[in-house]
Amino acid sequence: MSKILDEVLSANGKYAASFGDKSKLAMPPARQFAILTCMDARLDPAKYAGLAEGDAHVIRNAGGRASDDSIRSLVISYKLLGTREWFVVHHTNCGMETFTDEIMRGLLASSLKTSSVDAKGWHDNGPGPGSTEANYIDWLTIKDQASSVEADVRRIRAHPLVPREIPIYGYVYDVKTGRLTEIPAATAAGKATTTTSREKAR
């Protein structure tokens, strides 16, 4: 057993021992909202958004991007589990700003081992072989956080499976202060609109 595996299982044992009434939590999130955010280990949505178990859906991926799978999760979140408001939260000092699709594809073509980064950029240290399968993936890298938040909110807002009455808010989390800063253009793009009588009839 690895040290990490042992630590995880030990922590789980302690958590389960005092699980108590959490076993009675309902499947739908009690506060009826969802957050799409980055997988970065420095971000703890439970703390920065004041969540307890059962409160909200938290969907995470590299960069907090509005990928097809993220939208799949958001659609399930409202359609089957009743969420009514959504947040898209990116963050400062994101790893997705440190490379491009071309860099990632080149690294993976060279080797599948973990790469390293220094002042000159990313480098492969391990042996090959790598794989060109990376050429067929859109890695959804980020050049500017405000622009990426707005783009993701716009993509979600325009999706044909997303109801217009769900507001979508765009924010950037600051890893140095813990504060959420609104991206006004994103929130404006995600503004809810009422459904017309013609749309209701469809």
Side-chain angles (χ1 to χ4, degrees):
M1 184 179 291
S2 76
K3 180 175 182 291
I4 293 298
L5 178 57
D6 184 52
E7 290 172 350
V8 168
L9 294 179
S10 175
N12 178 252
K14 294 175 183 177
Y15 178 72
S18 59
F19 200 65
D21 288 342
K22 293 185 183 73
S23 63
K24 300 176 183 177
L25 288 171
M27 187 184 298
R31 294 173 62 188
Q32 296 185 307
F33 75 94
I35 297 174
L36 169 60
T37 194
C38 186
M39 67 184 191
D40 192 296
R42 295 169 293 180
L43 277 62
D44 187 343
K47 292 180 179 177
Y48 75 60
L51 305 179
E53 288 103 324
D55 275 354
H57 285 154
V58 178
I59 300 157
R60 303 184 73 157
N61 64 32
R65 304 307 310 271
S67 62
D68 288 346
D69 194 59
S70 294
I71 294 175
R72 177 189 71 91
S73 295
L74 287 169
V75 170
I76 292 170
S77 177
Y78 89 82
K79 183 66 176 178
L80 302 182
L81 295 163
T83 58
R84 295 291 177 262
E85 299 176 72
W86 295 345
F87 290 76
V88 174
V89 181
H90 294 189
H91 68 96
T92 60
N93 191 225
C94 183
M96 299 299 287
E97 298 174 279
T98 67
F99 65 97
T100 63
D101 279 13
E102 290 70 26
I103 289 172
M104 188 64 163
R105 289 166 181 164
L107 290 169
L108 286 166
S110 172
S111 171
L112 300 183
K113 301 297 183 181
T114 300
S115 300
S116 62
V117 66
D118 59 26
K120 294 181 180 180
W122 287 97
H123 310 280
D124 261 321
N125 306 311
S131 173
T132 58
E133 281 297 312
N135 295 341
Y136 304 98
I137 296 176
D138 182 349
W139 295 95
L140 300 175
T141 57
I142 293 172
K143 291 183 180 180
D144 173 76
Q145 288 295 338
S147 297
S148 67
V149 170
E150 182 181 353
D152 282 354
V153 169
R154 287 186 181 279
R155 181 167 195 242
I156 297 167
R157 172 82 292 152
H159 199 282
L161 297 179
V162 173
R164 295 182 180 179
E165 61 266 25
I166 293 180
I168 309 164
Y169 314 116
Y171 281 80
V172 171
Y173 173 85
D174 190 328
V175 298
K176 298 298 184 183
T177 67
R179 292 189 180 277
L180 291 172
T181 300
E182 184 181 27
I183 306 301
T187 297
K191 185 178 180 181
T193 58
T194 55
T195 306
T196 66
S197 57
R198 176 180 294 179
E199 289 170 327
K200 287 180 181 178
R202 289 179 182 173

